[in-house]
Amino acid sequence: MGPITSVAIFLTIWWTVLFAVLPLGVRSYHEMGIEPPPGADPGAPVNPNLKRKFLTTTWVTAVLFTILWLVVKFQLVSLPDLPSTY
């Protein structure tokens, strides 16, 4: 697996994990029983903790990518040879 492919796969996994992590622990103004500021949606999160979620997403992605890289490196799963169009 080349470096460009590795970066592309890492970013794809990161983006997917981000969408899985974003809803965790989010409480809205309505759920908390707090009156939202003027013009705010009652369903908006009180404190989304984005920095923490980005860090969590990054370490989870690093673990998943390492597992994937090891599987590919040591050929634990055999992938079929794809025909080339050259």
Side-chain angles (χ1 to χ4, degrees):
M1 185 171 3
I4 294 175
T5 304
S6 297
V7 169
I9 291 172
F10 184 88
L11 291 176
T12 303
I13 295 171
W14 190 91
W15 197 252
T16 305
V17 171
L18 175 65
F19 282 116
V21 170
L22 276 177
L24 299 177
V26 174
R27 302 282 311 253
S28 68
Y29 286 102
H30 179 71
E31 290 172 334
M32 298 284 288
I34 301 172
E35 187 66 31
D41 185 354
V46 175
N47 185 8
N49 293 321
L50 290 179
K51 186 175 183 180
R52 181 175 170 203
K53 290 182 182 190
F54 286 170
L55 291 172
T56 301
T57 299
T58 302
W59 74 259
V60 169
T61 301
V63 169
L64 292 173
F65 180 78
T66 302
I67 292 168
L68 177 69
W69 183 80
L70 290 171
V71 166
V72 171
K73 173 83 172 163
F74 295 110
Q75 298 177 354
L76 300 175
V77 175
S78 62
L79 299 174
D81 290 332
L82 299 175
S84 64
T85 58
Y86 295 73

